[in-house]
Amino acid sequence: MKAFAYLSHGQVGWVEKEIPAATGFDGIVRPLLVSPCTSDVHNVAIDCLHPNRILGHEGLGEIVAVGELVRDFQVGEIVVVPPVTPDWRTVPSQLGAHQHCHGLITGQVLSNAEDGFFAEYTLIRDLDANAARIPQGVSWEGAVMAADMLNTGLYGAQLADVQPGDTVVVMGVGPVGLMAIAGAKLRGAGRILAIGSRPAGLSLAKQYGATDFVNYKEGPVERRVYELTCKQGADCCICAGGGPEALGQAVAMVRWGGTIGNVNYFATHGDLPLNSVRYGFGMGNKTIRSGECPGGRARMEKLLALLQYGRVDPTALITHRFQGLAQVEDAFHLMAAKPPELIKPIVSL
């Protein structure tokens, strides 16, 4: 089969591989709709993958084969799969850390430890526990956007422990940041301050629930939040964008007793600055929770329920559409280039 893969440090391209076989609890899916992610771009740039690893962890497809132990799914069904497809038969999974079932971030198997969605066929581990049917009324595009973008953004709001009426800062207006704004609104936030500069993202941020906007290019974001909150600080902050300095800025923007939920990926080998004391907030009595987005069938079904019953529509994230497996390459490079009008590309196979 043909597939789009990581080749070597900073290099991607097309490879041919054997079609995977379904055994045991596993299934084989023929991808029908996929989306490149910033994480794909990061992994290629930082050289953390084995050569010829097939990329892609956002997608849905048709089941074409199932192992002999699969019980709940049949050949021909269309399923969506979250990025995290862990081994549920481990002690960390039983302790609530399925994202790290065999060690740090080992729950995200697709495109990391094993081949991903940018291929003619993809193996899905433990199909019964990791795939989800798409409910009536939910579009394929919505399901794919829910799998990672809504999943991660909402998890940021959960980590930040957003409570009804809270003042929330969301750092980043990319696809995850936008879904963090939507997640904060779903959890009852009162005021939501969006930090970003990309016009496409800022326009959608208002649609998803942002009430105030802070452009980091116009000066220190901590100072602006300090002013906007009448020197009180936010109740919580969701870190969904920015560089290594973002976590320190988040600490500086929340009040005493505030909470930071971090779902950002910090591609750095150095220290993360945390103890910012500018504008009076400092580090004292604050909680930082950081995590990889949840996975598995139950999580995916709950995300899809949010779409099914009209609580949120993530399809507005899609700004570019491509057709055909060969176009995965263009979509990937578009995600790497990040032109101002881009939020999220999607490819129909």
Side-chain angles (χ1 to χ4, degrees), residues 156 159 237-240 247 260-266 288-291:
L159 289 171
C237 177
I238 305 169
C239 234
L247 202 55
I260 296 106
N262 175 60
V263 289
N264 198 7
Y265 178 83
F266 295 111
I288 301 175
R289 297 190 180 101
S290 185

Side-chain angles (χ1 to χ4, degrees), residues 84 98-109 112-113 265 292:
V84 175
H98 64 269
Q99 301 98 319
H100 316 293
C101 54
H102 290 295
L104 189 63
I105 317 181
T106 51
Q108 186 175 322
V109 176
N112 282 1
Y265 178 83
E292 175 81 359

Side-chain angles (χ1 to χ4, degrees), residues 2-4 13-14 34 36 118-120 322-333 347-349:
K2 183 180 180 182
F4 186 70
W14 294 96
V34 300
F118 296 165
E120 294 178 283
F322 297 85
Q323 184 74 43
L325 179 61
Q327 295 298 303
V328 165
E329 183 172 11
D330 289 342
F332 173 87
H333 289 302
V347 187
S348 298
L349 304 186

Side-chain angles (χ1 to χ4, degrees), residues 113-145:
E114 296 182 2
D115 288 335
F117 266 111
F118 296 165
E120 294 178 283
Y121 299 95
T122 302
L123 185 145
I124 304 299
R125 294 291 184 192
D126 205 345
L127 191 68
D128 287 334
N130 285 317
R133 295 181 180 90
I134 302 168
Q136 186 175 4
V138 175
S139 69
W140 286 9
E141 289 188 347
V144 172
M145 289 298 102

Side-chain angles (χ1 to χ4, degrees), residues 88-264:
W88 294 97
R89 297 167 178 81
T90 65
V91 171
S93 292
Q94 293 179 32
L95 292 173
H98 64 269
Q99 301 98 319
H100 316 293
C101 54
H102 290 295
L104 189 63
I105 317 181
T106 51
Q108 186 175 322
V109 176
L110 290 169
S111 77
N112 282 1
E114 296 182 2
D115 288 335
F117 266 111
F118 296 165
E120 294 178 283
Y121 299 95
T122 302
L123 185 145
I124 304 299
R125 294 291 184 192
D126 205 345
L127 191 68
D128 287 334
N130 285 317
R133 295 181 180 90
I134 302 168
Q136 186 175 4
V138 175
S139 69
W140 286 9
E141 289 188 347
V144 172
M145 289 298 102
D148 190 1
M149 299 300 98
L150 175 59
N151 193 357
T152 306
L154 177 59
Y155 191 49
Q158 292 174 285
L159 289 171
D161 194 27
V162 177
Q163 296 296 311
D166 273 355
T167 294
V168 182
V169 173
V170 177
M171 303 187 72
V173 291
V176 173
L178 290 168
M179 291 297 93
I181 291 168
K185 181 181 178 181
L186 282 168
R187 289 178 62 93
R191 189 181 191 185
I192 303 175
L193 295 84
I195 296 179
S197 66
R198 297 170 62 81
L202 290 172
S203 176
L204 265 186
K206 184 175 183 180
Q207 176 178 321
Y208 282 122
T211 58
D212 300 82
F213 303 92
V214 177
N215 189 333
Y216 61 86
K217 293 183 178 181
E218 297 175 354
V221 294
E222 308 99 310
R223 178 179 178 178
R224 186 64 183 136
V225 170
Y226 186 69
E227 294 167 347
L228 286 170
T229 60
C230 300
K231 304 181 181 180
Q232 298 302 304
D235 295 296
C236 45
C237 177
I238 305 169
C239 234
E245 73 286 349
L247 202 55
Q249 292 173 331
V251 168
M253 289 186 289
V254 298
R255 60 169 174 78
W256 56 267
T259 304
I260 296 106
N262 175 60
V263 289
N264 198 7

Side-chain angles (χ1 to χ4, degrees), residues 305-326:
L306 293 174
L307 278 62
Q308 183 180 13
Y309 296 104
R311 303 305 184 190
V312 63
D313 179 9
T315 60
L317 299 176
I318 301 169
T319 55
H320 295 70
R321 290 172 172 84
F322 297 85
Q323 184 74 43
L325 179 61

